Amino acid sequence: MVKAIFFDVDGTLLRFNEETIPDSILESLHCLKSNGIKVFVASGRSYAQIKRVTDFPFDGFVASNGALGIDAHGKVLYKSSIPYIDLFNLVQYLESRPSAFCISYMTEEGVFANDINELLEHHYSLIHIPLPEKRPLLELLRSKVFQLTAYITPEQEKTIIDNIMVNCVATRWHDDFADINNQRYNKATGVAFWLRYYGIGKRDTMAFGDGGNDIEMLKYVKYGVAMGNARQEVKDIAYHVTAEVEEAGVVQALKYFNLLQEEDGLITL
């Protein structure tokens, strides 16, 4: 019996050409909650960026790819930052190569960047959020950083993770950039936190996603659902592949698993 479902946002609940989650999806989420199923967000977005697209009463949030666990009232219940030594090494690397690449990063104060380039602008326009505030590179060392996004090639990513930020892991949901987090935390560890918090077993869980940052989560839950628009490596590990986000893949999968009926009533697995 499914008791908890975790949803990625961009490319899963939210279409890339829209700024808010469609009403049809929200209605389905309300139906799930009305039948006692816990509903969560698990996103690479910050909490503030999640709240920009919906005020739906989720039961909890896994934000910044698992770096933050936030309850329904906005209270931070756990947080994990990138080790200072990794940030220090990155600053040294970029100071010696001023034009190497652009980064944006999430702190408790907000989202910032060392520079604004075309790749960063495209990323932020893709998910309809304001550009980060530009700050000097050394500011990266003055706050706890929960997630860093580097606008780099896969080859550059390997160099950074293997030699510079060795206590971190990189994941991609777009070819132009990689999200970098503390290697001890990801969306799956965020899911595990909420299952302990509510006393729910793994056998009673489901998750939806489309990007490389969703793989660990989809592997962790009982029913991992990949969107039709997901990267191939995500589809390869999924329990089930549904339709694309443009075709309301979430709703189709909920019906496939008999969690949502045509008349919007719910039954359990």
Side-chain angles (χ1 to χ4, degrees), residues 7-22 41-46 49-54 58 62 64-65 106 122-129 147 172-174 177 179 187 208-214 217 227 229-231 234 244-246 250:
F7 295 93
D8 172 50
V9 175
D10 299 289
T12 300
L13 292 179
L14 182 65
R15 299 167 184 156
F16 286 113
N17 61 344
E18 296 185 353
E19 297 185 37
T20 57
I21 297 174
V41 158
S43 176
R45 287 175 177 246
S46 69
Q49 290 169 347
I50 294 169
K51 297 298 286 185
R52 284 184 62 86
V53 299
T54 182
F58 289 99
V62 177
S64 302
N65 282 327
M106 298 176 181
H122 176 65
H123 171 203
Y124 277 70
S125 67
L126 193 66
I127 56 177
H128 302 284
I129 55 177
Q147 177 171 294
R172 286 180 182 263
W173 56 270
H174 195 282
F177 51 83
D179 290 337
K187 289 189 180 183
F208 289 76
D210 71 307
N213 57 343
D214 295 311
M217 173 176 71
M227 302 299 292
N229 49 280
R231 298 171 72 93
V234 182
E244 296 189 5
V245 63
E246 300 289 344
V250 165

Side-chain angles (χ1 to χ4, degrees), residues 106-112 133 135 142-144 146:
M106 298 176 181
T107 73
E108 290 180 322
E109 293 77 34
V111 182
F112 308 98
E133 177 186 332
R135 286 191 172 182
R142 303 188 190 281
S143 301
K144 289 187 179 298
F146 302 116

Side-chain angles (χ1 to χ4, degrees), residues 75-146:
K75 180 181 179 181
V76 176
L77 299 186
Y78 80 82
K79 54 187 175 182
S80 169
S81 58
I82 293 174
Y84 180 86
I85 185 62
D86 285 28
L87 297 176
F88 180 81
N89 290 341
L90 179 63
V91 167
Q92 283 197 316
Y93 179 85
L94 290 176
E95 282 187 327
S96 65
R97 301 165 179 81
S99 59
F101 54 84
C102 179
I103 60 170
S104 62
Y105 54 96
M106 298 176 181
T107 73
E108 290 180 322
E109 293 77 34
V111 182
F112 308 98
N114 70 323
D115 198 4
I116 307 294
N117 65 10
E118 290 184 4
L119 291 178
L120 185 148
E121 288 181 339
H122 176 65
H123 171 203
Y124 277 70
S125 67
L126 193 66
I127 56 177
H128 302 284
I129 55 177
L131 290 174
E133 177 186 332
K134 183 178 176 180
R135 286 191 172 182
L137 182 61
L138 283 176
E139 289 294 314
L140 184 64
L141 303 178
R142 303 188 190 281
S143 301
K144 289 187 179 298
V145 175
F146 302 116

